[in-house]
Amino acid sequence: MTNTAQQNDLANAIRSLSMDAVEKANSGHPGLPMGCADIATVLFTKVMKFDPANPHWADRDRFILSAGHGSMLLYSSLYLLGYEDMTIDQVKNFRQIGSKTAGHPEFGHATGIETTTGPLGQGLANSVGFAVAEAKLAAEFGSDVVDHHTFVLAGDGCLMEGISQEAISLAGHLKLNKLIVIWDNNNITIDGKVSNADSTDQIARFKAVGWNTIEIDGHDQDAIEKALNDAKASSDKPTLIAAKTTIGFGAPKKAGTEKVHGAPLGAEELAGAKAALGITYPAFEIPATILDAWRAAGTRSQNVRGEWEARLAKSDKKDEFTRRMSGKLPADFAKAMADYKQKLAADKPKVASRKASQMALEVINRAVPETLAGSADLTHSNLTNTPETLPFQADNRLGRYMMYGIREHEMGAAMNGVALHGGLIPYGGTFMVFTDYARPAIRLSALMEQRVIYVMTHDSIGLGEDGPTHQPVEHLTALRAIPQLLVFRPADAMETAECWELAMETADRPSILALSRQNLPAVRTEYSAENKSAKGAYTLVGPADADAVIFATGSEVAIAVEAQKELTEKGISARVVSVPSMELFAKQSDAYKAEVLGKAKARVAVEAGIEMSWSKLLGDKGRFVGMHSFGASGPIDALYAHFGITSKAVVEAVTAQL
Amino acid sequence: MTNTAQQNDLANAIRSLSMDAVEKANSGHPGLPMGCADIATVLFTKVMKFDPANPHWADRDRFILSAGHGSMLLYSSLYLLGYEDMTIDQVKNFRQIGSKTAGHPEFGHATGIETTTGPLGQGLANSVGFAVAEAKLAAEFGSDVVDHHTFVLAGDGCLMEGISQEAISLAGHLKLNKLIVIWDNNNITIDGKVSNADSTDQIARFKAVGWNTIEIDGHDQDAIEKALNDAKASSDKPTLIAAKTTIGFGAPKKAGTEKVHGAPLGAEELAGAKAALGITYPAFEIPATILDAWRAAGTRSQNVRGEWEARLAKSDKKDEFTRRMSGKLPADFAKAMADYKQKLAADKPKVASRKASQMALEVINRAVPETLAGSADLTHSNLTNTPETLPFQADNRLGRYMMYGIREHEMGAAMNGVALHGGLIPYGGTFMVFTDYARPAIRLSALMEQRVIYVMTHDSIGLGEDGPTHQPVEHLTALRAIPQLLVFRPADAMETAECWELAMETADRPSILALSRQNLPAVRTEYSAENKSAKGAYTLVGPADADAVIFATGSEVAIAVEAQKELTEKGISARVVSVPSMELFAKQSDAYKAEVLGKAKARVAVEAGIEMSWSKLLGDKGRFVGMHSFGASGPIDALYAHFGITSKAVVEAVTAQL
């Protein structure tokens, strides 16, 4: 340890605020902020470029606290650096309702929080998306406009989670040299020593996936600075900096143990830590000399930002870059979609909705240059590619297609990172059943209100012979259960176009498109200037005063239409309501809902999934035609017959109620 | 390639059957069976010990086809080896409803299928559980009774999934030397060359987590045999055999490309492949000489099995081993639980249900020696440990506690492997919100109908300050959506004991226990010989003819009881129904359901989660008190007030209906 008194003072300001805030909240994690204060000090006062006065500066370096439980490290630093919204009162209100200083960093709460972290591994996994976005935008707009680094602080927990392997192997493959991960190598997890549960040689592990590695003492600020600068100089590999630290550095009895990880120090240990660290000032009161030094560091990059503004002003790509970073779609997007929908009305194609999705994407990718396509190794099944989507690779940063590999979880997390970075709209495909693999990332897309579009094909037993491990049954319900997530299940090519349009236009929510493997007839054969799917549910066919209403989604809408015909032939008036999105329907006025529900004496829903998400709409007397168990392996027609998802079953369910 | 004609004939029998079955089904994956036929031939005819005539022999070697899409490799081999239930008709009925030969191997369909695979990485992840079970049982019962290997065939997809890192790092840490993974290193994924998406040095990666590695030509049967025998000799490390293969080996135009992965070869390519391989016999007709050689290999281990039977017969642990492998609980389990519940009725403890779970486990772990406890690094939060549960480690194979590390997904998958192996009952803990991380494994627990017990604590906003990333909101619904899974949410220590009892006694379904962080008052204060939770829902307090019924689970039952009191004071008769398990309630008779629902004019449910899974029970007029969004960071009482989950809200919801 060769730190100067000044270096120690700066780091101890983080430690002091963090200890105090956790103590005041009587809840939280002091161990990481104390252990990583030297790292944060160097990062924020010496290495990273950013401007607290312009926290959304597009070309700022990004910092991702993957070990989100150490949130006080970030909040302390943001306060010290002079971020306007991170007041000392916010620090004092750590972990209270309504504060910007939640238990874990929540995107949108305070500027300087680049992503929501806490679920371990997610931040590291997001960072790959950030670095991809930077590399791609730099290729598109030039390094005079886009040229920044992504720094990650990750703990042993992040590195033990499986998603970390997906993240680092993808980053290594893509040679994301501007991604720098600092591993808080403190040998401690909640249950004790890392060696209780893991014996990984992390350096060898990262080398095996093509990373540059550096090992340092994480309390030696000069060594930290050198390592970070060496990492920034890497031209063809991401870098892991393994920083040996002591968790709870300074705590006289608890440092270096799991006891300091996730609980307040307690008055005595806190006083002992302050004494050991030489902190003599009162709680929450950073002396002016120290605060001034931090604040000066906070203004360090103002000139660099000014130069960047000047370069951007001169760039002929300024308007496009500004639009892209704003998240606004190109002006002609709506027109392109309208033209396409008119063509669909004329053509009435009978195609799988996954194919319809690809057809829509051919329009979208032509009209919207910022889409970043991809698939978790199922491109020709998901049909997520179009002529525009050449692969994004180490030797083609202009590519628009992410070959995510068999890494569904990382795909979701990387898309979160891409969306958070801005300038690109990510979409990615896998089989619907494998939303389970990506679920923690999908939840974060929703929690962070990001425009991330999941293209989930093979959305029911309709996928056929691959059997129950590949057939979603509970997935529509399980996804509809996630707050803020839009789940779309379009019935034909027209609805697929409408749902894609909604997914693209909804800048503050993620969307999932549930798409069929099998061909579907066109049920929407007229052009409509209004996006009918926007209301979530609407009458497709049948009289307003019908005696029966049949709700259906996706591939089962055609079954409902067939049942409606059969009922009409029997003299029973029935109406089919297509429900491309329950979430959007829930938002409609009571009057519209009443209109859609009508006064029907019989209600039936048909969907090749479980009933749970339908119960509210069906009410006491309604009946459900769908799945009541896992699926089975067999040809599609045999499966629909076997599980009784047929127009006959719908007709019977209706007549049983009348 | 130095294979003899005989060796080639044996392997080509697999290739021939696999090509023919896929062609007949017009669906399936010929590439892997053709590429790995040499490996399977050596494994099954030379190396592994098993007895098709006694397929459940407890000390057989296990084979896990982690790359489950290659199912025809397994089905072909099982037929060739003479497994009675794998007839040639089953092979011909590949991928048809009701056949034993589903698209992916389904546990329970045919003997010789040790686990359901298909979702990539799961088989590899299961295998760690198999190897743990073997090591632990060998330590308990001696190597004369338990001494077998676990062989895995995994593809690039398995190794790219994040769960693979959790699996191999845990296996390496635990030095599971009897685990042998063969990597079908064919350089191909669905989207083309592996190098499109991954540049991992797999040998270096496995070495970094403590594995022995061997590289071979996967078409050289002598080399395969030597590698497998070398791997079996490993005394302190699991082994990776990297076998270089050609996907679709023999197919004249498609071999070595993704075109042969997941579609029938087509008549012309199939004929070409057979010609190239020298296969002259008709489809599905293996010549007697070849079939005889396979069948002879199938009887290879009969003597070994006979010797084992003799050793077991002499063992003083025979009865206990037989009971353990049968899955039957010890005879005195019920008595131990009854005694404990009587004590609870006397003590009426006010404890968190996670603490109540630990108290129940203290009884269970004492009475049931086969429990294998564990936690994904949250032992002192999940309270999954008891005095009996010393860690299972490389140097303590008698340990009963799995320190899974921060590997929730592997925990679930390993528990599946442990349960499938038999002889142990696995349970493991993490935070409820992280069921998302383990969801693919939880789904497989349910699909395979395995007794795996998930101890999921911190089950609502009641966990407090950690905030929305850590607070389950949609999880109870999302888990209730999974077919065959039992979701328990007990209200107090007594119900926790009952739910644990049910989870232990239900040998053919997995259970999830959703448990509170916060203390809960005793609401069940009388001893009941009947397990009231067994019916899923029951009247806790209030008259049968009450005007209002309030459904509640877990930590909200106390809120419902408080509301019932307040209503009674207002002169409104109300009844509280505790619903520890919706799944068990759904199975009850209509009469019992009607009794529980009663004739109340008002129905309210209160649960600190979303409404979706309650809608059916609530019906048209019922009201829900619970969550309608993600949670927030704050102290528990503030959160319950903020989100309106209070007795006052319940009272208002009741009175609004009356």
Side-chain angles (χ1 to χ4, degrees):
Chain A
M1 284 260 300
T2 58
N3 293 348
T4 64
Q6 160 88 346
Q7 287 173 327
N8 283 335
D9 283 347
L10 295 179
N12 284 338
I14 294 176
R15 293 190 179 103
S16 188
L17 289 172
S18 300
M19 285 188 280
D20 290 339
V22 170
E23 200 69 16
K24 182 163 188 298
N26 195 25
S27 171
H29 300 77
L32 185 142
M34 297 170 77
C36 293
D38 290 303
I39 294 165
T41 298
V42 176
L43 262 178
F44 297 136
T45 69
K46 300 267 193 179
V47 176
M48 280 180 64
K49 67 169 181 183
F50 57 90
D51 180 359
N54 290 274
H56 302 296
W57 172 25
D59 201 35
R60 70 192 180 278
D61 288 337
R62 267 67 167 182
F63 174 71
I64 296 172
L65 182 63
S66 191
H69 51 272
S71 57
M72 270 313 307
L73 179 84
L74 182 54
Y75 304 151
S76 299
S77 300
L78 294 176
Y79 164 70
L80 292 166
L81 289 163
Y83 280 78
E84 206 170 275
D85 59 349
M86 188 56 72
T87 62
I88 195 69
D89 282 341
Q90 290 291 345
V91 174
K92 289 179 183 171
N93 269 314
F94 181 50
R95 297 190 149 226
Q96 305 310 304
I97 293 181
S99 77
K100 291 179 183 294
T101 47
H104 293 78
E106 298 288 339
F107 177 76
H109 280 216
T111 55
I113 300 174
E114 302 283 3
T115 180
T116 296
T117 51
L120 292 175
Q122 295 292 334
L124 175 60
N126 291 164
S127 73
V128 179
F130 276 91
V132 164
E134 194 275 345
K136 175 152 172 49
L137 293 171
E140 280 191 74
F141 292 95
S143 61
D144 51 339
V145 175
V146 180
D147 182 12
H148 55 266
H149 284 79
T150 304
F151 296 89
V152 181
L153 183 59
D156 289 294
C158 292
L159 298 194
M160 236 186 275
E161 291 286 0
I163 194 174
S164 67
Q165 186 67 17
E166 299 186 15
I168 68 173
S169 62
L170 182 59
H173 171 71
L174 293 175
K175 302 188 192 296
L176 297 171
N177 61 301
K178 290 160 93 173
L179 175 61
I180 299 169
V181 174
I182 305 149
W183 165 35
D184 175 23
N185 178 16
N186 63 25
N187 278 348
I188 293 295
T189 71
I190 291 174
D191 275 1
K193 292 209 164 76
V194 168
S195 59
N196 284 327
D198 191 51
S199 308
T200 300
D201 177 343
Q202 296 287 3
I203 298 295
R205 177 192 173 201
F206 275 74
K207 281 185 190 297
V209 290
W211 284 54
N212 180 36
T213 62
I214 302 172
E215 295 177 77
I216 56 166
D217 171 356
H219 296 298
D220 179 338
Q221 293 194 22
D222 292 339
I224 296 166
E225 186 176 355
K226 180 173 187 314
L228 287 167
N229 285 323
D230 288 351
K232 283 176 70 175
S234 172
S235 61
D236 64 345
K237 288 177 180 175
T239 298
L240 173 77
I241 299 174
K244 197 83 208 63
T245 65
T246 300
I247 191 170
F249 182 90
K253 293 183 186 157
K254 297 181 178 175
T257 76
E258 68 274 19
K259 292 190 180 74
V260 79
H261 164 80
L265 293 177
E268 187 183 337
E269 182 77 357
L270 192 155
K274 288 195 174 176
L277 293 165
I279 297 169
T280 54
Y281 42 90
F284 300 111
E285 292 181 25
I286 305 300
T289 50
I290 300 174
L291 188 58
D292 288 349
W294 267 100
R295 293 280 158 97
T299 63
R300 208 169 27 92
S301 303
Q302 283 182 352
N303 289 343
V304 174
R305 193 184 58 77
E307 290 158 16
W308 178 85
E309 300 274 11
R311 287 197 304 276
L312 180 65
K314 282 191 297 186
S315 168
D316 57 1
K317 293 175 178 167
K318 182 191 172 194
D319 290 349
E320 177 65 1
F321 182 76
T322 305
R323 181 191 72 75
R324 292 277 293 271
M325 293 305 292
S326 79
K328 285 196 185 114
L329 295 175
D332 55 355
F333 173 70
K335 169 79 166 59
M337 292 305 291
D339 290 349
Y340 170 59
K341 289 190 283 185
Q342 277 176 322
K343 184 172 184 309
L344 284 179
D347 293 352
K348 303 174 181 45
K350 179 180 178 175
V351 293
S353 49
R354 62 181 172 137
K355 177 66 187 169
S357 167
Q358 189 179 45
M359 290 157 59
L361 283 169
E362 283 166 8
V363 178
I364 292 167
N365 287 342
R366 209 157 43 226
V368 186
E370 58 263 39
T371 54
L372 181 65
S375 168
D377 198 50
L378 288 169
T379 297
H380 304 293
S381 295
N382 303 144
L383 303 179
T384 31
N385 59 333
T386 70
E388 290 77 15
T389 58
L390 292 176
F392 175 90
Q393 292 285 9
D395 59 1
N396 182 18
R397 297 303 197 204
L398 286 169
R400 283 177 66 178
Y401 199 83
M402 291 291 295
M403 301 195 77
Y404 285 110
I406 299 131
R407 305 182 181 99
E408 301 82 9
H409 200 174
E410 173 58 26
M411 178 173 72
M415 291 201 293
N416 285 339
V418 169
L420 288 160
H421 181 282
L424 295 165
I425 300 174
Y427 73 81
T430 184
F431 288 160
M432 178 78 172
V433 80
F434 298 136
T435 51
D436 280 353
Y437 275 72
R439 198 168 165 89
I442 295 171
R443 186 175 206 256
L444 284 167
S445 306
L447 183 59
M448 294 193 283
E449 302 179 350
Q450 292 301 299
R451 177 164 49 188
V452 170
I453 305 173
Y454 294 87
V455 183
M456 304 287 109
T457 71
H458 297 61
D459 70 349
S460 76
I461 54 165
L463 67 83
E465 291 89 346
D466 276 346
T469 57
H470 283 55
Q471 291 164 351
V473 168
E474 72 278 23
H475 297 76
L476 286 168
T477 287
L479 291 165
R480 287 169 181 151
I482 298 177
Q484 293 170 202
L485 177 64
L486 293 175
V487 180
F488 292 106
R489 192 163 187 252
D492 68 357
M494 187 71 81
E495 268 195 14
T496 304
E498 289 183 341
C499 293
W500 256 114
E501 198 172 15
L502 292 163
M504 292 290 293
E505 287 171 346
T506 309
D508 61 351
R509 291 175 82 171
S511 296
I512 286 201
L513 292 152
L515 302 168
S516 76
R517 180 190 185 205
Q518 70 270 32
N519 284 342
L520 307 177
V523 293
R524 282 276 303 283
T525 53
E526 305 288 325
Y527 174 72
S528 160
E530 182 199 358
N531 184 325
K532 294 196 175 195
S533 300
K535 286 185 173 159
Y538 64 93
T539 293
L540 182 67
V541 61
D545 62 349
D547 286 334
V549 59
I550 307 167
F551 301 102
T553 74
S555 46
E556 284 70 69
V557 172
I559 291 173
V561 170
E562 175 61 28
Q564 195 262 357
K565 275 186 210 154
E566 293 171 24
L567 286 163
T568 305
E569 284 163 19
K570 285 175 191 278
I572 298 171
S573 72
R575 193 160 50 89
V576 174
V577 172
S578 181
V579 190
S581 165
M582 287 192 182
E583 299 78 26
L584 293 181
F585 184 57
K587 280 172 45 178
Q588 303 308 311
S589 68
D590 288 347
Y592 181 73
K593 284 184 195 165
E595 179 192 325
V596 167
L597 294 174
K599 297 190 163 42
K601 284 167 264 178
R603 283 186 200 173
V604 173
V606 53
E607 182 173 86
I610 64 162
E611 178 176 0
M612 198 178 284
S613 52
W614 288 98
S615 299
K616 188 145 189 159
L617 207 53
L618 287 174
D620 285 341
K621 292 179 191 159
R623 299 209 175 193
F624 181 72
V625 175
M627 297 294 292
H628 302 276
S629 68
F630 288 114
S633 174
I636 173 172
D637 292 344
L639 287 170
Y640 269 82
H642 178 75
F643 289 106
I645 304 175
T646 61
S647 60
K648 182 164 171 281
V650 173
V651 168
E652 286 170 3
V654 166
T655 49
Q657 288 174 75
L658 293 175
Chain B
M1 284 257 301
T2 58
N3 293 348
T4 64
Q6 160 89 348
Q7 286 173 326
N8 282 334
D9 283 348
L10 295 179
N12 284 337
I14 294 176
R15 294 190 178 104
S16 188
L17 289 171
S18 299
M19 286 188 280
D20 290 339
V22 171
E23 200 69 15
K24 183 164 189 296
N26 194 27
S27 170
H29 300 77
L32 186 144
M34 297 170 76
C36 294
D38 290 303
I39 294 165
T41 299
V42 176
L43 262 178
F44 297 133
T45 70
K46 299 268 192 179
V47 176
M48 281 180 62
K49 69 168 181 182
F50 56 90
D51 181 359
N54 290 275
H56 302 294
W57 172 24
D59 201 36
R60 69 192 180 280
D61 288 337
R62 266 67 166 182
F63 173 72
I64 295 171
L65 182 63
S66 190
H69 52 273
S71 56
M72 271 311 307
L73 180 86
L74 182 55
Y75 304 150
S76 299
S77 300
L78 294 176
Y79 163 70
L80 291 165
L81 289 163
Y83 280 80
E84 206 170 274
D85 58 350
M86 188 55 71
T87 63
I88 195 69
D89 283 340
Q90 289 290 346
V91 175
K92 289 178 182 173
N93 270 314
F94 180 48
R95 295 190 151 229
Q96 306 308 305
I97 294 180
S99 77
K100 292 180 183 293
T101 47
H104 293 79
E106 298 287 340
F107 177 76
H109 280 215
T111 54
I113 300 174
E114 301 283 4
T115 179
T116 295
T117 51
L120 292 174
Q122 295 293 333
L124 174 59
N126 291 163
S127 74
V128 178
F130 276 92
V132 164
E134 195 274 346
K136 174 152 174 52
L137 293 171
E140 280 191 73
F141 292 96
S143 60
D144 52 339
V145 175
V146 181
D147 181 11
H148 55 266
H149 284 79
T150 304
F151 296 89
V152 181
L153 183 58
D156 289 293
C158 293
L159 299 195
M160 237 186 276
E161 291 286 0
I163 194 174
S164 68
Q165 186 66 18
E166 298 184 16
I168 68 173
S169 61
L170 182 60
H173 171 72
L174 293 176
K175 300 186 192 297
L176 297 171
N177 63 302
K178 290 161 96 173
L179 174 60
I180 298 168
V181 175
I182 304 149
W183 166 35
D184 174 23
N185 177 15
N186 63 24
N187 278 349
I188 294 295
T189 71
I190 290 174
D191 275 359
K193 293 206 165 76
V194 169
S195 58
N196 285 326
D198 191 50
S199 307
T200 301
D201 177 343
Q202 297 287 3
I203 299 296
R205 177 191 173 200
F206 275 75
K207 281 187 191 296
V209 290
W211 285 55
N212 180 34
T213 63
I214 302 171
E215 294 178 76
I216 55 165
D217 171 356
H219 297 295
D220 180 337
Q221 293 194 21
D222 292 340
I224 296 166
E225 186 175 356
K226 178 172 187 314
L228 288 166
N229 285 324
D230 288 351
K232 284 175 69 175
S234 172
S235 62
D236 64 345
K237 290 178 179 174
T239 298
L240 173 77
I241 300 174
K244 196 82 210 64
T245 64
T246 300
I247 190 171
F249 183 89
K253 293 180 186 160
K254 297 181 177 175
T257 76
E258 68 274 20
K259 293 190 179 70
V260 79
H261 164 80
L265 292 177
E268 188 184 334
E269 183 77 359
L270 191 154
K274 288 195 174 176
L277 294 165
I279 298 169
T280 55
Y281 42 89
F284 300 109
E285 293 182 24
I286 305 300
T289 50
I290 300 173
L291 190 57
D292 288 351
W294 266 101
R295 294 280 158 97
T299 63
R300 207 168 29 92
S301 304
Q302 283 182 352
N303 288 344
V304 174
R305 192 183 59 77
E307 289 158 17
W308 178 86
E309 300 274 11
R311 288 198 303 276
L312 180 64
K314 283 191 296 187
S315 168
D316 57 1
K317 294 174 178 168
K318 183 189 171 193
D319 290 347
E320 176 66 0
F321 182 77
T322 305
R323 181 191 71 76
R324 292 276 294 269
M325 293 305 292
S326 78
K328 284 194 186 118
L329 295 175
D332 54 357
F333 173 70
K335 169 80 164 60
M337 291 304 291
D339 290 349
Y340 170 59
K341 289 188 285 186
Q342 276 176 320
K343 183 171 183 313
L344 284 179
D347 294 351
K348 303 174 183 42
K350 179 180 177 174
V351 293
S353 49
R354 62 181 172 137
K355 178 65 188 171
S357 168
Q358 189 179 44
M359 290 158 58
L361 283 169
E362 282 167 10
V363 178
I364 292 168
N365 286 342
R366 207 156 46 226
V368 186
E370 59 263 40
T371 54
L372 181 65
S375 168
D377 197 48
L378 287 168
T379 297
H380 305 292
S381 295
N382 302 144
L383 303 179
T384 31
N385 59 332
T386 70
E388 290 78 13
T389 58
L390 291 177
F392 175 90
Q393 293 285 10
D395 58 3
N396 181 15
R397 297 304 198 204
L398 286 170
R400 282 176 69 176
Y401 199 83
M402 291 290 294
M403 301 195 78
Y404 285 111
I406 300 132
R407 304 182 181 99
E408 300 83 9
H409 201 174
E410 174 56 29
M411 178 172 73
M415 290 201 293
N416 285 338
V418 168
L420 287 160
H421 182 282
L424 295 165
I425 300 174
Y427 73 81
T430 184
F431 288 159
M432 179 78 171
V433 80
F434 298 135
T435 52
D436 280 352
Y437 274 73
R439 198 166 164 92
I442 295 170
R443 187 176 205 253
L444 283 167
S445 306
L447 182 60
M448 295 192 283
E449 301 178 351
Q450 291 303 299
R451 177 165 48 188
V452 171
I453 304 173
Y454 295 87
V455 183
M456 304 287 109
T457 69
H458 298 60
D459 70 348
S460 76
I461 54 167
L463 66 83
E465 291 88 345
D466 274 348
T469 56
H470 283 56
Q471 290 163 351
V473 167
E474 71 278 24
H475 296 77
L476 286 167
T477 287
L479 291 164
R480 287 169 181 152
I482 298 177
Q484 290 168 203
L485 177 65
L486 293 175
V487 181
F488 292 107
R489 191 162 188 254
D492 69 357
M494 186 71 82
E495 269 197 14
T496 303
E498 289 183 340
C499 293
W500 256 113
E501 196 172 18
L502 291 163
M504 292 291 293
E505 287 170 346
T506 308
D508 62 351
R509 291 176 84 171
S511 296
I512 286 201
L513 293 152
L515 302 169
S516 76
R517 178 190 186 206
Q518 70 270 32
N519 283 344
L520 306 177
V523 294
R524 283 276 303 283
T525 52
E526 304 288 325
Y527 175 72
S528 160
E530 182 199 357
N531 184 325
K532 293 197 175 195
S533 300
K535 287 186 173 161
Y538 64 93
T539 293
L540 182 68
V541 61
D545 62 351
D547 286 332
V549 59
I550 307 167
F551 302 103
T553 73
S555 45
E556 285 71 68
V557 171
I559 291 173
V561 169
E562 175 59 29
Q564 195 262 357
K565 275 187 210 155
E566 293 173 22
L567 286 163
T568 306
E569 284 163 18
K570 285 175 191 280
I572 298 170
S573 72
R575 193 160 50 88
V576 174
V577 173
S578 181
V579 191
S581 165
M582 287 194 182
E583 300 77 27
L584 293 180
F585 183 56
K587 281 172 46 178
Q588 302 309 310
S589 68
D590 288 346
Y592 181 72
K593 284 183 195 168
E595 178 192 326
V596 167
L597 294 175
K599 294 190 167 44
K601 284 167 265 177
R603 283 186 199 173
V604 172
V606 53
E607 183 172 85
I610 64 163
E611 177 175 1
M612 198 177 284
S613 52
W614 288 98
S615 300
K616 191 147 186 154
L617 207 54
L618 285 176
D620 286 340
K621 292 179 194 159
R623 298 208 176 194
F624 180 71
V625 175
M627 296 294 291
H628 302 277
S629 68
F630 289 113
S633 174
I636 174 171
D637 292 343
L639 287 170
Y640 269 82
H642 178 76
F643 289 106
I645 305 175
T646 60
S647 60
K648 181 163 170 279
V650 173
V651 168
E652 285 169 3
V654 166
T655 49
Q657 288 173 75
L658 293 175

